[in-house]
Amino acid sequence: MERLEEIRKKIGECDDVIIEQLAIRMSHIQEIIAYKKATGIPILQPEQEKKQTDALEAKLGDCEFEEEILDIFKYIMKNSRRIQAKSLFDYNIFLIGFMGAGKSTIAGELQRKLEMERVEMDQMIVEKQGMSISEIFDEYGEAYFRNLESNTLIELQKKSQTIVSCGGGVVMREENADHMKKHGRVVLLTAKPETIYERVKDSDERPILNNNMNVEFISSLMEKRRERYQQVADVVVATDGKDVVTICEEIISKLIALDNADEKKKAQEAEI
Ligand code: S3P
């Protein structure tokens, strides 16, 4: 029994060292982020994570616990991304834009890269109503759906540091747009009508396009919405011909530039 207590004590001592070293490691992560933020170096560096894993594997050599230790490091890295996001964005990120602009895809990638929470407004509505968007339009009409969107946004008020992928028409209501501005930064994703058409043409999940699946209709609806989208956006990113990682990096660097400018302005105002 005494022997068992002795071993447990040793394990406790190991935990002390791990905790201490993890806290140091995490503070270095914060330093890296502050450095990247100040210098404008890309935040997402997928090749770096790969390098780190390779280095770890080399360090572990033929260690008996290689698999288990590598598994632990997966969580360490995941949490590094979380720390990174926490120090970058202390607000919600609302992704807006026309149907097929890539909001859901980009929200998913940002969620993976930044370990932030993510919500899909349309998905929330579908789950709550137990009906697809097309069924809601068919049964109750568009105005009813728009009310559901506004209510969903109100429900999202309690969220923080969350990526919200919005339905393409949400910002057309002024109250919704005001709400987004108040509770986070708004990122507009754009794409040419031809690009949108290519992305959505095989889907029948968008009632507004179901009987209008052509470039002319997309183009004219986009034109009607253009001014509002631009007005509401804090940041605009064109998605045509770009891959997902490039788009995410552009969003992050534009948001950081905006935050830096805001901080500078606040500091100048404080001096006056
Ligand atoms: C709509 C966009 C859709 C969905 C609904 C209406 C719109 O969302 O909310 O079909 O008016 O632009 P996505 O933009 O995610 O396709």
Side-chain angles (χ1 to χ4, degrees):
M1 207 52 187
E2 241 175 69
R3 174 79 184 118
L4 193 59
E5 281 317 307
E6 235 175 73
I7 302 172
R8 284 185 178 144
K9 192 165 164 255
K10 281 186 194 156
I11 291 178
E13 283 163 10
C14 285
D15 289 346
D16 293 342
V17 175
I18 292 171
I19 291 170
E20 196 189 327
Q21 291 303 314
L22 278 179
I24 295 174
R25 194 184 193 283
M26 287 174 185
S27 69
H28 289 323
I29 299 288
Q30 283 175 323
E31 279 172 51
I32 287 191
I33 274 305
Y35 183 80
K36 283 184 180 172
K37 206 171 159 180
T39 53
I41 289 174
I43 301 289
L44 306 176
Q45 295 180 327
E47 70 290 348
Q48 186 54 31
E49 240 182 59
K50 167 88 179 73
K51 262 193 223 161
Q52 245 173 304
T53 313
D54 290 348
L56 277 172
E57 276 171 2
K59 275 184 208 179
L60 285 164
D62 45 13
C63 170
E64 186 188 350
F65 306 110
E66 178 179 4
E67 205 184 320
E68 291 77 10
I69 296 178
L70 285 176
D71 194 38
I72 290 168
F73 268 96
K74 264 195 213 147
Y75 285 93
I76 293 180
M77 286 183 199
K78 181 178 157 127
N79 281 288
S80 294
R81 291 198 292 272
R82 189 178 284 174
I83 291 166
Q84 172 170 283
K86 266 195 201 161
S87 36
L88 285 177
F89 308 121
D90 59 353
Y91 46 78
N92 297 314
I93 301 174
F94 292 96
L95 294 178
I96 65 163
F98 203 79
M99 292 166 266
K103 296 166 299 226
S104 301
T105 309
I106 297 302
E109 189 65 10
L110 283 175
Q111 175 190 31
R112 267 188 296 280
K113 300 279 182 208
L114 298 170
E115 287 300 331
M116 281 172 81
E117 199 189 330
R118 162 201 176 189
V119 292
E120 286 285 326
M121 278 189 69
D122 277 354
Q123 199 51 38
M124 276 180 79
I125 294 174
V126 166
E127 277 164 22
K128 210 161 177 195
Q129 299 298 115
M131 297 165 91
S132 71
I133 304 285
S134 292
E135 283 167 348
I136 299 171
F137 266 69
D138 284 349
E139 196 129 330
Y140 302 112
E142 182 172 348
Y144 182 84
F145 174 75
R146 298 300 174 198
N147 289 338
L148 292 177
E149 284 188 319
S150 299
N151 293 340
T152 307
L153 261 187
I154 292 168
E155 244 180 78
L156 288 175
Q157 249 173 30
K158 40 187 187 296
K159 293 276 179 204
S160 63
Q161 295 189 298
T162 299
I163 301 159
V164 184
S165 171
C166 302
V170 180
V171 287
M172 299 315 290
R173 273 199 186 170
E174 206 165 331
E175 68 198 72
N176 294 350
D178 290 347
H179 181 97
M180 288 180 199
K181 297 289 258 186
K182 204 164 134 203
H183 293 280
R185 296 270 200 213
V186 182
V187 176
L188 169 63
L189 299 179
T190 67
K192 293 189 186 110
E194 294 75 12
T195 312
I196 296 284
Y197 174 73
E198 282 307 316
R199 290 180 187 162
V200 302
K201 66 178 194 247
D202 298 323
S203 157
D204 57 3
E205 284 163 20
R206 296 179 174 91
I208 289 185
L209 295 182
N210 278 353
N211 296 317
N212 303 297
M213 194 56 89
N214 56 71
V215 174
E216 293 69 36
F217 181 83
I218 290 172
S219 184
S220 75
L221 183 57
M222 199 185 268
E223 218 33 64
K224 282 187 201 139
R225 291 181 174 183
R226 185 184 304 280
E227 200 184 330
R228 170 51 66 92
Y229 281 148
Q230 295 285 344
Q231 251 173 18
V232 180
D234 293 304
V235 156
V236 182
V237 174
T239 63
D240 301 273
K242 290 180 192 157
D243 64 30
V244 172
V245 174
T246 309
I247 296 167
C248 288
E249 189 58 57
E250 206 173 315
I251 292 173
I252 293 171
S253 62
K254 285 187 169 170
L255 284 173
I256 291 174
L258 203 65
D259 294 339
N260 284 346
D262 266 9
E263 268 169 38
K264 208 169 153 189
K265 202 169 141 204
K266 270 188 205 141
Q268 279 167 351
E269 279 167 3
E271 271 173 28
I272 300 168

